[in-house]
Amino acid sequence: MAAPSDEPRQKSLPEHVDDESGALWEDERGLHVVDFLTNKAGDDLKSHKNIGDILESLKEENNVLSEQVLAVSDSVPLKVSAALCAAENAACSLQDLLHREEMMANLLEQHLQGVQPSKNHLGRMLNQIQTIERHMKYLSCLQLIEECSSSIQQCLMTGSVWEAIRAIDSMGAVHAGLKTSGCSSLKAFLQETLSFWHRIIKDRLSGDFEKILAQLHWPNISPTAQSLAPVGNHQELSVQLELLVTQLLALQTTDNLLFHSTSPLLPTQADSSATAVSQSPICLPIQIMLLPFRKRFRYHFCGNRQTSSLSKPEWYLTQVLLWMSNNSTFMEEKIQPILEGAETHLSARVELCRGLLALVQEKVASDALRLLYDDALFCHLVEEVLQFEKELRSKLSYPPALPGLLHLLLENTVLQKWLTVEKKMAVEKMDAMLSSEGAWSCQYKEMCDMDELRAPDCAETFMMLLQVITERYRYLTCPSAQLKFLGLQKELLDDFRIRLTQVMKEDSRYPLSARYCAILNAVNYISTILRDWGDNVFFLQLQQAAVSLNDEVLLGGLGLMELGQLAALEGSLFDSLLALLDRLKGDMMGRLLDWTMREFKEKAKPYSQNRWLSFPSQQDQSSMSLSSSACPMMLCLRDRLLSLHQLLGLSLFQLTWQGLAERLDHFLYQDVILANHFSDGGAAQLHFDMSRNLFPLFGQYCKRPENFFKHVKEACIILRLSVGSAILLRNVLEEAEEETDAGDHERPTLMSTLHELGVYCLAPCDVLYVLRLRVSWPGQ
């Protein structure tokens, strides 16, 4: 039985299987046999007698499988024979196709050899035709140029300027068509011819235009020119002006084609981000009108004259603003209607400003590079440029979409110098303001109602310095540059905080000094201003820009959660600084309160050691008065509150007296009340000292000062209860204590009972403890 079943299994092994693989296969086969016998016969093979039945069934299965194998072996040769026949037929067809392909290739090769002479001849003829066509086009271009030149010459001789302009436009169209041509000589000839006739026409129109402008008193160099008498033939001059401006506008296309890249009146852009509008050439009539200004500007501000001084940029900047202002009326009344009639969609006043700005831009860019090593003059130039930009936008309504002068300050070298100078000057001013005699005095100290924060002069001056820096970079058009200035401001703020901390440590031995309180006011003042800045629209826009640009300086070290909060405007860029300032403020207030409490506790020692058991009852006294032992601590507390009220800002003082009241409440409750036993007279005296002397000291700062001394107030209530009420309350509390010890919860009626007495803060166990401090019980 084993032989028939083993032979097929051995044949199914691959021939390339090595000895190790065969051994593994034999192991697997053995495991399979064991599993089979276990499933059929059970675990104990020796105890079963059905092994013979299993053997007989296996023999039958083996016979069935052998018959199936023989049947399949008989059918396989028929299919293999059919496949071999099909393969032989396909091979014959392939040989036939290969033979036919070879014959066709030979015929094609013979045909190509036969037509090669004709092909070569036809190629030579086509090349000749193409050469002739190029020559004809070349000659036609020359003929067109000659015809246009002749036409322009005839038009100029007969005074037909419009016809000459149309002819030169035709020549300009040919020039544009030859832009990609390789005929360099033809293009050069056309360029020279076009430039020649364009210059002649432009010179003629410019001469006539300048004469008309001179009769109309252009340019208006100074305000005194307004007093010139108007010309008599005003109507005729207006007609001629309109004609010449229109003709010059018609010549604009050719002028742009020839001189766009080299025109001296085009704005010099140092910033590559300038808009496309700023790169468009100034229209031809305005270029001619700008020539007198250009000559004057070059003469006065670009030579060796005294007016061309690096230390006086305001001279040429102010002069250009005056030119813009003095000539705006002429441009709007005389030139603008003509531009609108020609449908140019240009503003004459803006075009004039653009042309004058080109002169200033060139001058400022040159001066800025020359002043990189002179901090004082560089700062002066920046200030004047910012002032010029402000007046240009506000007074002259120059469009925001067009660049003025600010983009010149954004050039990398100039911007880095600007940042360096800003930091240097700010640090110098910080040193000066902190070392001045009045650094820690408040200029509004005599007018408390005007300044609730009572910021010292150094802090107010410093924040004003930062505000001035903000106003300088607020209108920059580059968000990344604005973020650099914001980073500088944060660096200066942190530097100032460190300086305040250093000064504070010098006075930390006596926190009640005027300078210590002034430092605390300064920290609070800066925190208040920074929180206002965090809600300011300008700084919120910078915050969004910092998140979108992923600014490393401002956002470095922040986690994903913090970045998400900044993006959602749930935080501000000043949060890290505010956290440091708040920590400093909390530390300083803690020192202040600790010092005050130490002084108060020293004065309160006699009061806490009073023999409250020996005080006579209230009925035995004609009138109540403050305990003699309480006078020193009350006087100390009064003086400190008055002093702090005068030295600290309103919000800081409010936090201070509230914190002091909380500590006093805790001290009096722990060290005076819980540390002693009280008779009826002692309880009445304690209540009088607290309610009629201590609480009123805080009464001028709030309406109900006793609410800030809840422990003391409620303890006095418990100590002053009538004997009957006290006994009932004690019994209720003791029963509640026993129930609590037994595992039951406190009864709601107990809390309501305490609330009826006015006790809300003390727990029942504390109330019971205070009750046990009473000594005036029946039987005692």
Side-chain angles (χ1 to χ4, degrees), residues 98-113:
L98 290 174
H99 180 68
R100 293 173 61 188
E101 185 271 338
E102 183 179 0
M103 292 178 60
M104 293 296 293
N106 293 332
L107 292 175
L108 180 60
E109 182 67 23
Q110 293 176 3
H111 178 72
L112 290 176
Q113 291 178 357

Side-chain angles (χ1 to χ4, degrees), residues 104-392:
M104 293 296 293
N106 293 332
L107 292 175
L108 180 60
E109 182 67 23
Q110 293 176 3
H111 178 72
L112 290 176
Q113 291 178 357
V115 301
Q116 186 63 35
S118 301
K119 176 184 175 183
N120 295 337
H121 178 69
L122 183 60
R124 288 192 296 270
M125 292 182 64
L126 289 175
N127 290 335
Q128 292 176 1
I129 293 172
Q130 291 176 356
T131 302
I132 294 172
E133 287 181 348
R134 287 198 298 270
H135 290 169
M136 291 180 64
K137 290 180 180 179
Y138 195 95
L139 293 174
S140 64
C141 288
L142 290 175
Q143 183 180 2
L144 181 59
I145 295 171
E146 292 295 334
E147 290 176 355
C148 290
S149 297
S150 301
S151 176
I152 294 171
Q153 184 177 11
Q154 290 294 329
C155 292
L156 292 177
M157 293 176 62
T158 58
S160 301
V161 179
W162 281 113
E163 294 296 331
I165 293 175
R166 281 191 284 271
I168 203 170
D169 284 343
S170 300
M171 194 180 299
V174 176
H175 184 279
L178 293 177
K179 186 176 182 179
T180 58
S181 174
C183 301
S184 57
S185 299
L186 178 62
K187 288 165 57 175
F189 173 70
L190 178 56
Q191 176 82 15
E192 293 177 1
T193 306
L194 185 60
S195 301
F196 173 77
W197 290 116
H198 177 271
R199 185 171 59 254
I200 291 177
I201 298 175
K202 181 178 177 180
D203 290 345
R204 176 178 292 188
L205 294 177
S206 299
D208 297 340
F209 188 47
E210 290 174 354
K211 292 178 182 179
I212 298 298
L213 291 175
Q215 296 182 48
L216 294 173
H217 307 301
W218 176 268
N220 186 4
I221 301 300
S222 62
T224 57
Q226 298 287 349
S227 61
L228 294 175
V231 293
N233 54 345
H234 179 75
Q235 186 66 29
E236 180 181 353
L237 290 176
S238 298
V239 173
Q240 295 179 5
L241 178 67
E242 180 178 1
L243 176 63
L244 289 170
V245 171
T246 307
Q247 290 175 343
L248 287 170
L249 289 174
L251 198 62
Q252 182 72 45
T253 304
T254 311
D255 188 76
N256 295 344
L257 182 65
L258 294 175
F259 303 108
H260 175 68
S261 60
T262 58
S263 177
L265 288 173
L266 289 179
T268 302
Q269 301 295 335
D271 185 14
S272 59
S273 64
T275 60
V277 178
S278 66
Q279 299 290 342
S280 60
I282 300 171
C283 66
L284 190 54
I286 307 300
Q287 289 187 34
I288 298 171
M289 298 177 72
L290 286 167
L291 290 176
F293 297 109
R294 180 180 177 82
K295 292 179 181 178
R296 285 174 170 80
F297 190 89
R298 294 291 184 187
Y299 177 76
H300 290 290
F301 305 116
C302 295
N304 296 324
R305 300 179 64 85
Q306 293 182 351
T307 51
S308 179
S309 174
L310 290 175
S311 61
K312 298 294 182 181
E314 63 271 21
W315 286 352
Y316 65 83
L317 293 174
T318 304
Q319 184 61 69
V320 169
L321 286 175
L322 287 175
W323 287 344
M324 292 178 181
S325 177
N326 295 338
N327 294 276
S328 295
T329 303
F330 183 91
M331 301 300 293
E332 292 175 352
E333 294 180 356
K334 301 294 183 182
I335 306 300
Q336 187 61 40
I338 303 175
L339 296 180
E340 293 176 354
E343 299 181 354
T344 58
H345 305 291
L346 295 174
S347 171
R349 180 181 57 81
V350 172
E351 289 293 290
L352 175 67
C353 293
R354 286 182 59 210
L356 292 174
L357 270 176
L359 303 176
V360 181
Q361 289 168 348
E362 182 181 355
K363 175 69 174 173
V364 170
S366 174
D367 288 355
L369 295 177
R370 295 170 63 185
L371 295 176
L372 289 178
Y373 301 100
D374 193 323
D375 294 347
L377 294 182
F378 181 84
C379 289
H380 182 57
L381 175 64
V382 171
E383 291 284 355
E384 292 299 328
V385 168
L386 294 173
Q387 184 63 29
F388 176 89
E389 185 79 16
K390 182 179 180 180
E391 295 187 13
L392 179 68

Side-chain angles (χ1 to χ4, degrees), residues 562-712:
E562 290 84 354
L563 290 176
Q565 290 176 347
L566 289 179
L569 301 181
E570 295 178 358
S572 75
L573 293 173
F574 304 104
D575 285 347
S576 58
L577 278 171
L578 285 172
L580 295 174
L581 290 170
D582 290 342
R583 184 185 305 171
L584 177 60
K585 182 172 70 173
D587 179 60
M588 293 184 69
M589 288 190 64
R591 292 170 184 263
L592 183 64
L593 293 175
D594 289 342
W595 179 275
T596 306
M597 283 303 300
R598 281 197 301 269
E599 190 175 14
F600 180 86
K601 290 177 180 179
E602 185 67 27
K603 302 292 184 181
K605 283 182 179 180
Y607 187 74
S608 62
Q609 296 172 359
N610 274 346
R611 293 185 59 84
W612 299 99
L613 292 172
S614 61
F615 273 84
S617 63
Q618 189 173 0
Q619 291 79 7
D620 297 338
Q621 301 184 43
S622 59
S623 62
M624 299 288 293
S625 62
L626 177 66
S627 301
S628 59
S629 59
C631 291
M633 72 175 189
M634 293 296 179
L635 288 174
C636 174
L637 182 60
R638 183 201 64 181
D639 295 340
R640 291 295 165 253
L641 286 174
L642 290 175
S643 176
L644 292 174
H645 189 216
Q646 294 174 356
L647 293 175
L648 295 177
L650 181 60
S651 60
L652 272 179
F653 177 70
Q654 186 173 4
L655 293 175
T656 302
W657 75 255
Q658 290 177 0
L660 183 59
E662 181 182 355
R663 295 192 181 200
L664 287 174
D665 180 49
H666 179 75
F667 167 74
L668 293 173
Y669 178 71
Q670 293 288 339
D671 291 34
V672 176
I673 297 176
L674 298 184
N676 292 282
H677 288 78
F678 294 86
S679 63
D680 289 342
Q685 184 63 48
L686 175 68
H687 177 260
F688 181 83
D689 293 342
M690 297 296 104
S691 62
R692 299 293 298 275
N693 294 278
L694 178 65
F695 297 165
L697 290 177
F698 294 86
Q700 57 181 327
Y701 312 124
C702 63
K703 293 182 179 180
R704 300 182 63 84
E706 63 274 9
N707 291 337
F708 293 91
F709 295 87
K710 294 181 179 180
H711 292 84
V712 174

